[in-house]
Amino acid sequence: MTFNVFAQTSIGSFYKAIDRWEDGYPENTFAYMAIKQGADFVLAQGMLWLNSLTHKTPLMYFETENVCAGHFKLADAGKTYREFISNLGAGTIVTPQRTLQFPFTGGANHHASFTPLHPSALQAQSRVNVLKITGNNAPLQAETSVLDWELRSAPNPYDTIAELLSEFGLGGLFTDKITVEVIATSVMGFNGDGCTISGETGTIVVQLANTLDRKNASVGYRQISQGKVVRGNLSGSQFEWEQTDEKQVGTYNIPVAKGSILHCYALYSGVAQTHWFITDPTTSQNPRRVVTEAFDGGLAILNEFLGRSRGKGRDARDLEVGVAWLFWMLGFGTVQFGSTARTQDFSDVVLVTPQGHMAIVECTTGLLRVDNKLPKLIARAADVRARLDRSNHGHVKLLPIMVSTLSRQELEADLDGAEKLGVLVLAREELDEAVNRTVISANPDELFATAEKEVDRLKAKARGNDEPELPLPPTA
């Protein structure tokens, strides 16, 4: 009972990808949920977090007759993360509370795949390496109502399995295979509150794992001012460092042109971990954002609209307004067809680039399939495409887009279906990234072309014809 050769290759690639900063993970934890089958608890879903800081999900345990969930430090189980991964291949998981079964499919082996640059983390401007290990068919399928009622009867009740998963930081449920994700977070980043530009001085504040060497840290930057770019790099020794209980904090003041933007990249051992835009809150290089902030100071209302989740009615209408504002700041022409009582069954938003290419946008505060939103979007896009072709506008490109305020993890069960149909999905992470990018003027046609390329890539992946992953940079 071990990993097959393909899984071993993926695991080896994962280890190689993080070996230069492996010492930056002193706070590794495992979160899980399991379902009782016969006399054993069988893993339904788990996440092994390689953390440089204390994980935000508390360490805790929950159990009813047929469901258990926990979050514990690997050190409390006497395991390194490599030992823990090795034990997964044996089909058992020993936790401080009980032993869980992690069966594999058909008497064969566990499977594994490696994603060196996870898409959801990239949208959050961070490098996260993810190893996904899968086993047998999941013990918990989509119908969870019986277990939901069991959870409601617990001394410390949960309303649903979904709420339990969320409480333990497990995101949405994978309903096909038992899945363990090993998530190696970035070991260096920026302090968003401390990074700022005031007049002609930019303040860069970086955070580094306590167990890593400052000498291997550096920051690359682009100073953007009136369309001109000045590039440079700062070594770790140029920063003034302070030690805290959990991290090292470095600060550097750099002269900048008034009204400029700093786009910074945090590097460890020459590998970019995160990137961040630093701006002067009193200025902006994007005139559309300037206009928006004249009415919505600090984009507080916009961020509130884009933060609505699992709501209906007014919440959904507000989201459509927020999406229209956001894409207008990114340079698109926007029209809201579904914003009135008489037109609420129309498409929510239509986007137009300067070259005339279009996107039909459907917005939701929940899952993509709720209220048949995804099928409606496909049908509307097909109808518009046919009308454009009949009107001799076949050259106009058309892209269907689903926007949800849920995270990509919460949308996991819906993503494959949307991607196979050629729909671009923008989740919580992409919305946050888009708001950050409004600090500078964007080229809508370039954004459209990038989105179109991503849709083609995902469709090819769904057909099993995905391009090979880019090679990792050589190790030092």
Side-chain angles (χ1 to χ4, degrees):
M1 292 189 293
T2 183
F3 294 108
N4 63 34
V5 63
F6 301 105
Q8 291 175 22
T9 299
S10 294
I11 293 170
S13 296
F14 175 77
Y15 290 157
K16 184 178 180 181
I18 64 174
D19 64 357
R20 278 183 271 183
W21 53 86
E22 186 175 18
D23 291 341
Y25 299 125
E27 297 289 340
N28 303 328
T29 63
F30 184 68
Y32 66 90
M33 185 189 74
I35 305 298
K36 196 169 188 179
Q37 290 189 329
D40 298 320
F41 274 92
V42 176
L43 182 72
Q45 193 155 307
M47 286 192 179
L48 173 55
W49 290 94
L50 306 190
N51 304 309
S52 60
L53 302 173
T54 300
H55 198 279
K56 62 182 180 180
T57 301
L59 303 176
M60 52 187 173
Y61 182 71
F62 172 86
E63 183 175 329
T64 62
E65 181 181 355
N66 295 294
V67 181
C68 70
H71 184 218
F72 63 90
K73 289 185 177 182
L74 293 195
D76 292 340
K79 301 291 183 182
T80 67
Y81 83 89
R82 292 193 182 217
E83 290 171 338
F84 194 87
I85 290 173
S86 179
N87 287 346
L88 292 176
T92 59
I93 301 172
V94 179
T95 79
Q97 294 81 27
R98 60 169 57 253
T99 297
L100 309 176
Q101 300 303 312
F102 182 24
F104 40 79
T105 304
N109 308 105
H110 293 91
H111 299 278
S113 60
F114 170 48
T115 305
L117 298 169
H118 201 269
S120 62
L122 289 178
Q123 296 301 328
Q125 305 175 191
S126 179
R127 173 188 291 270
V128 171
N129 292 275
V130 177
L131 176 69
K132 182 183 287 188
I133 301 171
T134 57
N136 206 349
N137 294 329
L140 181 65
Q141 300 301 321
E143 180 54 55
T144 63
S145 58
V146 173
L147 293 178
D148 288 343
W149 281 96
E150 181 174 316
L151 298 183
R152 292 164 189 159
S153 304
N156 295 307
Y158 288 86
D159 189 51
T160 61
I161 287 289
E163 184 187 12
L164 181 67
L165 287 165
S166 177
E167 181 81 1
F168 282 80
L170 292 168
L173 178 67
F174 297 103
T175 58
D176 52 350
K177 299 290 184 182
I178 303 172
T179 302
V180 174
E181 288 188 313
V182 186
I183 303 171
T185 58
S186 57
V187 294
M188 183 177 175
F190 295 94
N191 182 323
D193 294 331
C195 293
T196 187
I197 292 176
S198 178
E200 297 181 358
T201 300
T203 301
I204 304 172
V205 183
V206 295
Q207 301 176 154
L208 179 66
N210 248 344
T211 50
L212 294 179
D213 191 342
R214 302 169 183 175
K215 295 178 183 178
N216 293 328
S218 62
V219 172
Y221 67 86
R222 299 186 306 139
Q223 181 186 159
I224 306 166
S225 179
Q226 303 302 317
K228 297 180 179 179
V229 180
V230 176
R231 296 173 172 84
N233 188 279
L234 304 167
S235 67
S237 61
Q238 292 177 265
F239 284 74
E240 294 183 5
W241 291 93
E242 294 182 1
Q243 189 90 25
T244 71
D245 290 340
E246 285 197 323
K247 59 194 173 187
Q248 305 174 77
V249 180
T251 303
Y252 184 84
N253 292 321
I254 182 173
V256 297
K258 191 171 184 179
S260 64
I261 294 170
L262 284 173
H263 188 189
C264 297
Y265 308 85
L267 291 80
Y268 191 79
S269 290
V271 179
Q273 298 285 316
T274 59
H275 66 104
W276 195 259
F277 286 96
I278 304 177
T279 64
D280 186 335
T282 65
T283 66
S284 175
Q285 292 187 22
N286 182 352
R288 293 190 180 211
R289 176 159 173 161
V290 171
V291 171
T292 304
E293 291 198 278
F295 304 101
D296 180 17
L299 304 182
I301 296 174
L302 172 65
N303 285 311
E304 179 189 344
F305 285 175
L306 297 179
R308 304 283 174 85
S309 64
R310 301 189 186 277
K312 293 182 178 292
R314 188 67 262 166
D315 283 350
R317 300 285 83 79
D318 287 347
L319 173 59
E320 294 165 19
V321 171
V323 168
W325 290 7
L326 174 58
F327 279 98
W328 183 78
M329 284 193 291
L330 290 170
F332 290 85
T334 62
V335 58
Q336 289 177 256
F337 282 118
S339 59
T340 72
R342 293 182 61 189
T343 63
Q344 62 182 354
D345 289 331
F346 294 6
S347 290
D348 295 335
V349 182
V350 173
L351 312 177
V352 185
T353 75
Q355 292 183 7
H357 302 308
M358 300 182 185
I360 297 178
V361 182
E362 191 72 29
C363 304
T364 177
T365 60
L367 298 173
L368 308 185
R369 294 171 292 181
V370 170
D371 298 329
N372 290 318
K373 286 183 175 290
L374 183 59
K376 288 179 181 177
L377 174 62
I378 297 297
R380 288 165 178 164
D383 180 55
V384 172
R385 177 75 272 167
R387 289 172 181 268
L388 287 170
D389 291 344
R390 288 198 302 267
S391 300
N392 201 30
H393 295 298
H395 63 284
V396 174
K397 295 180 179 179
L398 186 67
L399 187 65
I401 299 176
M402 281 290 301
V403 172
S404 174
T405 55
L406 299 183
S407 69
R408 295 195 76 82
Q409 194 172 63
E410 292 173 301
L411 295 173
E412 185 77 31
D414 284 355
L415 290 177
D416 284 348
E419 291 165 355
K420 288 177 182 177
L421 294 169
V423 175
L424 180 69
V425 178
L426 302 181
R428 171 77 268 157
E429 296 88 346
E430 286 84 5
L431 295 178
D432 291 341
E433 165 74 356
V435 172
N436 289 335
R437 287 194 173 274
T438 61
V439 296
I440 57 177
S441 297
N443 183 325
D445 283 294
E446 288 183 1
L447 294 176
F448 189 95
T450 299
E452 191 177 32
K453 183 178 179 180
E454 176 66 5
V455 167
D456 290 341
R457 184 189 72 82
L458 292 172
K459 287 172 67 176
K461 181 179 179 181
R463 294 194 302 266
N465 188 30
D466 196 20
E467 296 179 0
E469 295 169 343
L470 295 174
L472 294 172
T475 56

